Amino acid sequence: MGYNSLEYNTQRRKMQIPEYGRNVQRMINYAVKIENREERNKAAKAIIEVMGQLNPHLRDVDDYKHKLWTHLFIMSDFKMDCDSPYEKPTPESLAEKPARMKYPKNKIKFGHFGNYVQNMIKEAVELEEGEEKEYLKVTIANLMKRHYLVFHTGNVEDRVIADHLEELSKGKLKIDDLSIFTATNQVLKQYGIQPNKRKKVVKPKKRKK
């Protein structure tokens, strides 16, 4: 075989999805030209099996068979005319831009507490007075303290958290007994956070007259 007969990848037609390899691409190119539809369908199913074996990680993807069939049509330049268990995609449908995601518009007064805590407060406010409401109030208060310390990794007065809870609940959830709060050092220890050590302020020495 002479050098002139060698074929380099740079000279070959670019593959749509190179992850499957050039042999699969050749199989698809051949299947597209099969005139008998029944034989063409058999060839397409056989290629799908090969594609699945070459890329076993796709099995972790939801509806991976659908993904394989979509890749088959893409690699055939959408020329494959066979009976697919899924709707045949079109170049236009795959080129469509995804719909713009809607961002949450919930207003959170204290961002470090998060929307989840705010929803819990709303639920607690609606409860009738009793043990359940009292338990939930204490749970929310300590959760707020944890969230605060995770963001600020320092110290916080329990009265500040109690005031924030009262403000967010519009005065419906009040805490008078601050002993319900978990100690700050214990909270920081649970999260593996070292409390910020305050630097000692060194006062300048007075000069002798």
Side-chain angles (χ1 to χ4, degrees), residues 46-117:
I47 294 171
I48 289 293
E49 292 298 322
V50 173
M51 292 168 68
Q53 291 173 11
L54 290 175
N55 292 272
H57 63 277
L58 287 178
R59 300 188 183 204
D60 298 330
V61 179
D62 292 338
D63 204 5
Y64 86 101
K65 280 282 188 181
H66 193 174
K67 193 176 187 70
L68 292 176
W69 279 96
T70 300
H71 288 175
L72 173 69
F73 287 118
I74 293 174
M75 293 175 71
S76 71
D77 286 334
F78 303 93
K79 296 175 182 177
M80 176 68 82
D81 182 16
C82 62
D83 298 328
S84 167
Y86 309 97
E87 184 179 354
K88 182 179 178 180
T90 62
E92 292 75 23
S93 64
L94 295 177
E96 288 178 0
K97 292 183 179 180
R100 184 181 294 272
M101 291 182 65
K102 294 182 179 179
Y103 288 90
K105 297 181 179 180
N106 300 328
K107 294 182 179 179
I108 303 177
K109 189 172 182 66
F110 303 105
H112 44 264
F113 294 137
N115 193 50
Y116 178 67
V117 168

Side-chain angles (χ1 to χ4, degrees), residues 124-142:
V125 168
E126 296 298 324
L127 292 175
E128 295 182 2
E129 297 297 330
E131 292 184 5
E132 185 180 358
K133 185 171 185 175
E134 197 65 24
Y135 174 79
L136 186 56
K137 179 177 70 175
V138 172
T139 302
I140 293 172
N142 278 288

Side-chain angles (χ1 to χ4, degrees), residues 20-52:
Y20 291 104
R22 196 163 294 277
N23 286 333
V24 171
Q25 184 66 62
R26 286 197 187 100
M27 292 167 65
I28 293 173
N29 295 343
Y30 173 79
V32 169
K33 298 176 182 177
I34 297 176
E35 296 183 2
N36 185 283
R37 187 176 187 83
E38 185 177 348
E39 293 298 322
R40 192 165 58 248
N41 286 334
K42 289 180 181 179
K45 291 178 181 178
I47 294 171
I48 289 293
E49 292 298 322
V50 173
M51 292 168 68

